[in-house]
Amino acid sequence: MLESGDTERHTEAAKTDWIRTDEWCTRPSHVFSTPVALSVKDQGDSVTRSLHFSWELSGSGWATCRIWDGSTKHQDIVSYCTNALADLLKGVTGLYGPHSIQRFSFDLEPAEARWILRRRNSDVHITICRFPDMSTSFDAPDGKGTLMWTSTRPRTSLAHAVLVAAEKVRRTHGEDGYLQKWRLHAFPTTELETLRHLHLAADNCALQH
């Protein structure tokens, strides 16, 4: 749920225009609903200063989103009903502006996974809350949700991790391949490059870009 406006949503009928009902109703079942211990084999993808993040297209209209901080991790299976990767990039980009709090939501069909990012000097406090039904909870107060994961990390670590993960998606699938899998939304090139520009200009990041 971005502060700048409502996130686009789509009806059940709109989904069936794109893919068969049996495709989008069958979703991966390995969703972590509570923090679990990090194992060595889980380490990889985008790893920066004990913050790890990955975004993988896991089927037609689904993406697997993982975040972990070296001790606990969280995973969601995100639906294409919203422009989820663009919302993530915009939310992190907002941390470079005048507003210290950014919010956005992922549609888990039917649940809502709401991310709240609170900038505190050079750090960001990350909170992920879950609501049972996004169609009724989209404007609900944060406190009505169930806390699923929280961590505080440097802003530069979060921005870099998200940038690397998004760039890996583009490198793996290409922009045409991304649209074929995500269906309703093109790859968020503008949002990616905007975040990259702000991150490089404002953060003292020594990692490779």
Side-chain angles (χ1 to χ4, degrees):
M1 180 172 56
L2 294 173
E3 292 184 330
S4 58
D6 292 337
T7 305
E8 182 181 4
R9 294 186 54 80
H10 299 271
T11 63
E12 300 292 312
K15 294 176 190 174
T16 56
D17 288 339
W18 288 96
I19 49 179
R20 298 196 313 271
T21 301
D22 59 344
E23 290 179 323
W24 65 260
C25 281
T26 303
R27 61 183 302 177
S29 60
H30 51 289
V31 181
F32 294 116
S33 58
T34 56
V36 297
L38 175 69
S39 64
V40 173
K41 69 179 181 179
D42 289 321
Q43 299 181 18
D45 288 311
S46 182
V47 181
T48 59
R49 299 186 194 176
S50 298
L51 183 67
H52 313 239
F53 181 80
S54 67
W55 186 277
E56 299 174 358
L57 301 185
S58 52
S60 185
W62 297 104
T64 303
C65 171
R66 299 183 181 93
I67 188 167
W68 59 105
D69 62 4
S71 59
T72 61
K73 67 180 177 179
H74 180 76
Q75 173 177 302
D76 279 319
I77 307 299
V78 178
S79 165
Y80 75 140
C81 288
T82 64
N83 197 358
L85 184 55
D87 291 343
L88 169 66
L89 291 165
K90 289 177 183 177
V92 178
T93 296
L95 296 170
Y96 293 85
H99 302 294
S100 61
I101 300 177
Q102 300 293 318
R103 291 178 176 83
F104 52 89
S105 293
F106 299 144
D107 192 343
L108 310 183
E109 294 196 41
E112 173 190 353
R114 183 181 302 175
W115 287 47
I116 305 103
L117 308 179
R118 293 179 172 88
R119 186 182 66 226
R120 297 172 178 172
N121 298 318
S122 62
D123 290 336
V124 177
H125 184 68
I126 308 163
T127 301
I128 302 175
C129 295
R130 180 171 295 194
F131 299 79
D133 188 345
M134 190 164 178
S135 66
T136 60
S137 65
F138 197 67
D139 294 318
D142 298 339
K144 295 293 185 180
T146 300
L147 177 63
M148 305 304 296
W149 191 84
T150 185
S151 185
T152 300
R153 287 294 180 268
R155 181 185 66 180
T156 182
S157 299
L158 175 62
H160 188 91
V162 169
L163 278 170
V164 172
E167 185 58 54
K168 181 180 178 182
V169 172
R170 181 165 63 177
R171 186 172 63 251
T172 300
H173 301 282
E175 295 188 6
D176 290 341
Y178 178 90
L179 182 58
Q180 289 176 2
K181 281 185 168 291
W182 203 241
R183 303 285 183 161
L184 296 178
H185 307 281
F187 183 84
T189 301
T190 299
E191 291 83 354
L192 174 62
E193 297 306 327
T194 299
L195 177 56
R196 189 197 312 279
H197 171 76
L198 291 171
H199 171 58
L200 291 175
D203 295 331
N204 185 23
C205 183
L207 298 172
Q208 183 177 359
H209 293 80

